């Protein structure tokens, strides 16, 4: 990773130097001509919540299914707790999975669903009953033990699926879009519940999701996937604030990207000429790139200021006209067309309650950003 | 209601009349006294005379008992093989020879019976020449033939049932530590049970009803009920066959209505359960 | 299913699960056809079995003699009886299929548009006769169609006819028998198709100015085509080879191909010709199936 831009991103000290629990080594999976997972290497530490984040078809679910043992890698190795998993069927892996569809057995009660996994371990009846009871208490479903899945709400079903997987006391829990089937309000609530449970039981989580918000709130680290490969791994704030590629910058959150060329390259600052901007972009940190190379300047919409008057200072200021305003409640997004023709998104919190105070459509405005805000990308 | 509504409901009513009048007429005339079957002998009817003759006929009763035995054996065999084939086709993914199996398992559905009958008879003849088995033709060869064509129906029923189930249910069971055999017995089988049951009934009916294939593969010793009835009615209308038909229709209607009520109740519950368990995701 | 369950596919039991039905179907379905194919190329002989082997060890010549004989096929093609029988069978099956479609389509349509409660009742009523004996239901028509049968008696009593009509042992009786026996096979695939139609499509068509007839012709009918094809094949193919219905209801001077095959085998004991008839039928019937599968393959999402 030496040739990546050193955007002063801190290197990755995963979860306090904990022990590596899952190791994925050069894993590739092909279905016929389609390469679903392409030479992925990854380490997940004990006790982590690791999120695989990516769009549909990026290979994240296939990777998860290989960890569970439903698919075999075409090449490469998967080690869990130091053990090579090749040839180990799913029913012998120290891993449990929570399915996106929950996959609750429709013909069994909640109790029987949760007991199923323990019965496979041939535990004694009283032991099974005790552990099922405990687990149902933890997920607050004690009174629903005798119900069938169809008699439960979506959130309750999600908790049954979780209880069923956790009752086996796995060291590693795989979660496939754990909140995908829940409505928005319930998701937020459940997210925090999931975090609480994970800390309480000390299980390592690997979560697959396409929802960046879900990944941001749950994850200790995020692995962003694209077209079968991992494109960046880091803590949520790192992935957001220090994306290493245009794909990551664009996929996570919203971003304004400007193509340009380095015209001044100093250790403590750089200047970049962008055709779409009237002035040079000033960035207050150095980057490692060949002089005169093509780079991209990425600026998040919330890191841009908007004003009717020309702001003080002479750096990173551009002029434009507001073409559109999207009111989102807590914030508004302004589409500002610069003099050069390029549109820029600016996001401002709605501090004032009265719309009359805010900048409106067709107003001439100035935008400005701090020299520390832009991220310079070379790929 | 629009004119089109009248048209289609009229067609439906007409079609249902068409479907039921022959059966009802046959049932009515089973109580007719006259041997001239279709001429209602008002003076002496209704009568149970033909039912009496029917139950006195050892030939018909013997053939009926033989048919029941063959149908039960054939249905059981077809359900075992058809469930396996349906499972393989729905759940085992792509493997070499899958296309051939799929073709072989569904071809009997559209195969004209005369061809199936002829080819099986020729097989039995050739087998006996080569190996001495099966010795002659009779109950065994009829049963084998019936299993072969009925298993196609069971396969289709089971396969489409499995296709309607999320296979993550089975994966979840594996993930929770169940071995494949346990998964089948505790998850798959309970879920496809209605399909297996209706497959059995279907196979039973097909076997119980078959004339053409049986005629090819039956030996001189074994005459199933349809074979006996066919040779009787080829010569014209036979009043005791009307009586037999009435009994068969009543028995089948009771059985089918009961089975449908049972499976519909179960089906509705399972569908509800599954819809719910899927949680609206995916 | 793109992602099949790999874990279920592994293990020793798996091979057994595949092997058992496979072995049965190979032995009792595929091998018999190869035998039929083989015998169709053999020479007839007065013996048991009444045909000559394809491979024979000629003792005096000390070599293997392969007798590959197309006499049976030549006989089929040159003897007018077989060609006309085959054409007649196809004609009867085609007319019956069209009649079945004409009756079955509006029925399926009415069922698909009925309220859910009625829908189940209607489906039940359509399927119920199928569960009762096929043979006995065909037989029921003998009593209805006879010269002194129920239909003639009723028509005479009503004064609509003077002399009884000849209904039994005619082509008409065969059409009636086939339509009657195979109607559920037409209705069920049509219903399965029509039931899945999104009724909003019709609302959209109406919204765009289409009258009901236009909506039906431009939206419903084209979308239901896979159902029409499936239902028609389910009726047509078995109807061509139908044996029981023409035997009980059909004319005695014009036989259908299934009957000819059976007579050739049992009455004439000409196994090679009977086999050749079977192979010919297969070729003629397999073609429409292949055609159908190609058609279906091109129409993803609809039908089934």
């Amino acid at each position: 990773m030496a040739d990546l831009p050193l955007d002063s991103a801190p290197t990755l000290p995963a979860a306090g130097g904990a022990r590596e629990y899952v190791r994925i080594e050069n894993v590739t999976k092909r279905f016929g001509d389609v390469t679903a997972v392409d030479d992925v290497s990854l380490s997940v530490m004990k006790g982590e919540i690791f999120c695989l984040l990516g769009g549909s078809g990026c290979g994240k679910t296939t990777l998860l299914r290989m960890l569970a043992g439903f698919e075999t890698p075409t090449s490469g190795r998967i080690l869990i707790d130091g053990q090579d998993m090749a040839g180990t069927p799913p029913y012998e892996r120290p891993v449990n999975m929570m399915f996106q569809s929950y996959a609750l057995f429709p013909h069994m009660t909640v109790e029987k669903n949760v007991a199923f996994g323990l019965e496979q371990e041939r535990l004694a009846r009283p032991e099974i009953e005790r552990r099922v009871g405990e687990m149902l208490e933890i997920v607050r479903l004690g009174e629903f033990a005798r119900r069938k899945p169809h008699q439960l709400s979506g959130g309750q079903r999600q908790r049954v699926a979780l209880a069923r997987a956790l009752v086996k006391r796995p060291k590693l829990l795989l979660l496939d879009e754990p909140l995908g089937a829940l409505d928005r309000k319930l998701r937020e609530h459940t997210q925090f519940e999931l975090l609480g449970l994970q800390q309480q039981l000390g299980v390592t989580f690997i979560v697959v999701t396409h929802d960046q918000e879900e990944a941001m709130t749950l994850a200790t680290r995020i692995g962003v996937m694209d077209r079968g490969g991992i494109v960046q791994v880091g803590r949520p704030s790192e992935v957001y604030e220090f994306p290493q590629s245009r794909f990551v910058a664009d996929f996570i959150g919203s971003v304004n990207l400007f193509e340009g060329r380095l015209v001044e390259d100093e250790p403590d600052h750089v200047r970049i000429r962008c055709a779409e901007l009237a002035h040079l972009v000033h960035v207050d940190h150095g980057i490692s790139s060949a002089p005169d190379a093509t780079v991209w300047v990425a600026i998040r919409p919330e890191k841009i200021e908007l004003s009717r008057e020309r702001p003080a200072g002479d750096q990173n200021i551009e002029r434009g006209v507001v073409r559109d305003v999207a009111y989102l409640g807590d914030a508004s997004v302004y589409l500002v067309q610069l003099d050069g023709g390029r549109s820029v998104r600016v996001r401002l919190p709605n501090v004032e309650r009265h719309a009359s105070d805010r900048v409106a459509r067709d107003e001439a405005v100035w935008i400005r950003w701090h020299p520390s805000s832009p991220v310079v990308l070379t790929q | 209601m629009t004119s089109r509504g009248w048209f289609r409901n009229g067609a439906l009513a007409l079609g249902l009349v068409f479907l039921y009048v022959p059966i009802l007429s046959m049932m009515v005339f089973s109580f007719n006294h006259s041997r001239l079957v279709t001429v209602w002998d008002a003076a002496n009817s209704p009568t149970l005379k033909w039912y009496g003759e029917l139950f006195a006929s050892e030939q018909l009763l013997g053939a009926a008992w033989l048919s029941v035995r063959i149908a039960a054996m054939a249905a059981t065999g077809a359900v075992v093989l058809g469930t396996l084939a349906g499972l393989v086709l729905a759940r085992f993914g792509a493997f070499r020879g899958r296309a051939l199996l799929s073709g072989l398992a569904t071809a009997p559905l559209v195969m004209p019976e005369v061809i199936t009958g002829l080819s099986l008879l020729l097989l039995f003849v050739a087998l006996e020449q080569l190996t001495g088995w099966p010795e002659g033709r009779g109950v065994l060869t009829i049963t084998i033939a019936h299993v072969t064509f009925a298993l196609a129906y069971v396969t289709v029923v089971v396969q489409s049932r499995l296709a309607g189930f999320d296979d993550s249910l089975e994966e979840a069971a594996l993930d929770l530590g169940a071995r494949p055999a346990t998964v089948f017995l505790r998850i798959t089988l309970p879920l496809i049970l209605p399909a297996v049951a209706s497959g059995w009934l279907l196979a039973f009916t097909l076997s119980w009803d078959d004339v053409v294939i049986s005629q090819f593969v039956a030996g001189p010793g074994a005459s199933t009920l349809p074979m006996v009835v066919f040779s009787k009615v080829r010569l014209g209308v036979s009043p005791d066959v009307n009586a037999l038909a009435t009994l068969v229709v009543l028995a089948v209607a009771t059985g089918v209505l009961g089975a449908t009520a049972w499976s519909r109740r179960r089906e509705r519950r399972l569908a509800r359960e599954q819809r719910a368990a899927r949680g609206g995701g995916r | 299913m793109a992602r099949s369950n790999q874990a279920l596919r592994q293990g020793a039991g798996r091979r057994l699960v595949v092997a058992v039905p496979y072995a049965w179907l190979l032995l009792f379905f595929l091998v018999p056809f190869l035998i039929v194919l083989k015998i169709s190329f053999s020479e007839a002989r007065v013996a048991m079995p009444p045909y000559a082997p394809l491979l024979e060890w000629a003792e005096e010549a000390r070599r293997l003699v392969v007798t590959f004989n197309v006499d049976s096929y030549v006989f089929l093609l040159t003897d007018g009886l077989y060609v006309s029988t085959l054409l007649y069978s196809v004609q009867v099956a085609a007319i019956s299929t069209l009649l079945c479609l004409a009756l079955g389509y509006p029925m399926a349509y009415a069922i698909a548009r009925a309220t859910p409660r009625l829908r189940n009742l209607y489906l039940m009523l359509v399927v119920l006769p199928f569960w009762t004996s096929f043979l006995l239901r065909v037989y029921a028509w003998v009593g209805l169609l006879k010269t002194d049968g129920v239909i003639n008696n009723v028509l005479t009593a009503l004064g609509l006819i003077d002399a009884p009509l000849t209904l039994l042992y005619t082509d008409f009786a065969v059409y009636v028998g086939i339509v009657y026996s195979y109607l559920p096979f037409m209705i069920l695939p049509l219903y399965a198709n029509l039931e899945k139609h999104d009724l909003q499509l019709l609302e959209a068509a109406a919204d765009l100015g289409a009258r009901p007839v236009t909506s039906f012709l431009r939206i419903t009918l084209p979308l239901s085509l896979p159902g029409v094809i499936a239902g028609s094949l389910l009726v047509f193919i078995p109807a061509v080879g139908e044996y029981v219905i023409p035997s009980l209801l059909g004319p005695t001077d014009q036989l259908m191909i299934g009957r000819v095959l059976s007579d050739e085998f049992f009455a004439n004991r000409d196994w090679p010709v009977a086999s050749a008839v079977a192979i010919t039928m297969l070729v003629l019937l397999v073609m429409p199936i292949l055609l159908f599968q190609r058609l279906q393959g091109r129409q993803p999402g609809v039908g089934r």
Side-chain angles (χ1 to χ4, degrees), chain B residues 19-20 38 92 97 110 209 242, chain C residues 9 22 125 133-134 148 180:
Chain B
L19 281 177
Y20 283 92
T38 52
F92 279 27
V110 289
D209 203 20
N242 280 353
Chain C
R9 285 190 270 131
Y22 221 120
L125 284 173
S133 167
F134 160 74
D148 57 350
Y180 183 65

Side-chain angles (χ1 to χ4, degrees), chain A residues 9 20 32 60 65 108 118 122-123 154-155 188 199 206 213 218 243 290 324 362 365:
Chain A
E20 177 184 78
K60 57 191 193 301
R65 289 170 60 83
M108 297 183 190
L118 297 178
R122 309 204 182 272
L123 297 180
E188 224 162 88
Q199 269 151 23
I206 296 182
E213 224 173 286
L218 282 177
D324 222 331
D362 292 333
V365 291

Side-chain angles (χ1 to χ4, degrees), chain C residues 151-192:
Chain C
I151 291 177
N152 274 319
N153 289 348
V154 169
L155 291 178
T156 315
L158 293 174
L160 290 174
I161 51 171
D162 299 326
L165 304 169
T166 308
L167 298 170
L168 194 58
Y169 308 127
T170 61
D171 289 353
F172 169 74
V174 178
Y175 301 150
V176 168
I178 293 177
V179 172
Y180 183 65
S181 306
Y182 290 101
L183 192 58
F185 293 97
M186 179 63 86
I187 292 180
L188 290 181
L190 276 173
Y191 164 79

Side-chain angles (χ1 to χ4, degrees), chain A residues 122-141:
Chain A
R122 309 204 182 272
L123 297 180
R125 252 299 132 197
E127 166 81 355
I128 292 179
E129 276 165 23
R130 190 180 57 75
R131 278 173 62 177
V132 169
E134 273 175 21
M135 199 65 221
L136 288 179
E137 285 313 313
I138 292 177
V139 296
R140 295 177 289 109
L141 282 171

Side-chain angles (χ1 to χ4, degrees), chain A residues 66-320:
Chain A
M66 286 194 281
L67 286 167
F70 299 128
E71 309 286 353
T72 337
T74 311
S75 63
R77 290 204 306 167
I78 292 175
L79 293 97
I80 296 177
D81 207 7
Q83 290 246 300
D84 191 342
M85 284 291 120
T88 308
Y91 44 89
E92 283 166 9
R93 294 192 182 204
V95 171
N96 286 111
M97 178 150 165
M98 197 182 117
F99 288 78
Q100 181 182 11
S101 63
Y102 305 148
L104 299 181
F105 306 130
H107 55 302
M108 297 183 190
T109 59
V110 167
E111 210 171 36
K112 289 263 193 287
N113 262 285
V114 178
F116 186 89
L118 297 178
E119 286 165 9
Q120 306 312 316
E121 294 175 16
R122 309 204 182 272
L123 297 180
R125 252 299 132 197
E127 166 81 355
I128 292 179
E129 276 165 23
R130 190 180 57 75
R131 278 173 62 177
V132 169
E134 273 175 21
M135 199 65 221
L136 288 179
E137 285 313 313
I138 292 177
V139 296
R140 295 177 289 109
L141 282 171
E143 53 189 307
F144 299 103
R146 296 286 156 82
R147 296 233 187 138
K148 290 228 179 148
H150 70 93
Q151 295 165 314
L152 302 177
S153 72
Q156 288 166 339
R157 273 181 234 141
Q158 194 259 6
R159 299 211 298 274
V160 177
L162 196 60
R164 189 177 70 176
L166 285 174
V167 78
K168 302 228 348 157
R169 295 179 186 159
K171 296 284 187 304
L172 174 63
L173 185 68
L174 308 173
L175 301 99
D176 190 358
E177 307 271 358
L179 309 173
L182 303 179
D183 58 48
R184 210 185 153 80
K185 268 268 179 284
L186 204 53
R187 292 173 77 122
E188 224 162 88
H189 177 73
T190 313
Q191 248 163 24
F192 291 110
E193 237 176 35
L194 214 53
L195 280 171
L197 262 174
Q198 194 265 348
Q199 269 151 23
Q200 189 183 342
L201 302 171
V203 188
T204 307
F205 276 18
I206 296 182
V207 182
V208 151
T209 180
H210 68 275
D211 181 336
Q212 43 158 317
E213 224 173 286
E214 193 171 316
M216 290 282 172
T217 38
L218 282 177
T220 50
R221 283 192 304 153
I222 293 176
V224 184
M225 287 190 74
D226 180 36
R227 279 171 291 173
I230 298 254
V231 287
Q232 187 171 353
V233 178
R235 288 200 302 265
S237 58
E238 288 164 5
V239 174
Y240 187 80
E241 302 290 354
F242 303 98
Q244 289 169 354
S245 63
R246 279 177 293 154
F247 173 81
V248 175
D250 196 37
F251 183 77
I252 297 176
S254 161
V255 75
N256 296 296
L257 278 170
F258 304 96
E259 190 177 325
R261 263 170 212 288
L262 276 181
V263 290
E264 191 180 330
D265 187 4
E266 301 292 330
D268 65 337
H269 73 276
V270 293
R271 283 177 197 279
I272 297 161
R273 180 186 307 283
C274 299
E276 294 165 326
L277 297 175
H279 309 98
L280 296 184
V281 177
H282 180 88
V283 182
D284 71 353
H285 49 263
I287 62 161
S288 75
S289 177
D292 217 33
T294 303
V295 295
W296 288 269
V297 177
I299 313 171
R300 299 276 184 202
E302 75 276 11
K303 294 191 167 55
I304 302 179
E305 297 159 19
L306 187 76
S307 55
R308 291 191 177 97
E309 312 295 321
R310 189 180 202 284
D314 54 358
Q315 282 179 337
N316 297 338
I317 295 173
E318 298 280 330
R319 201 178 64 179

Side-chain angles (χ1 to χ4, degrees), chain B residues 4 8 18-20 38 92 97 110 112 115 118-119 121 129 148 167 171 205 209 226 233 237-238 242 257, chain C residues 1 5 9 14 22 24 32-33 49 109 124-125 129 131 133-135 139 143 146 148 153 180 237 265 285:
Chain B
R4 220 152 46 96
R8 65 186 193 223
F18 174 65
L19 281 177
Y20 283 92
T38 52
F92 279 27
V110 289
I115 297 182
L118 174 74
S119 62
L121 172 58
Q129 265 188 311
T148 305
D167 64 353
E171 287 180 350
T205 312
D209 203 20
V233 300
V237 185
S238 173
N242 280 353
L257 287 175
Chain C
M1 199 155 291
N5 192 328
R9 285 190 270 131
R14 178 213 173 221
Y22 221 120
W24 182 283
F33 282 106
Y109 193 84
M124 185 76 216
L125 284 173
W131 288 90
S133 167
F134 160 74
L135 175 62
Y139 158 75
K146 267 159 59 103
D148 57 350
N153 289 348
Y180 183 65
I237 292 172
F265 188 85
L285 294 174

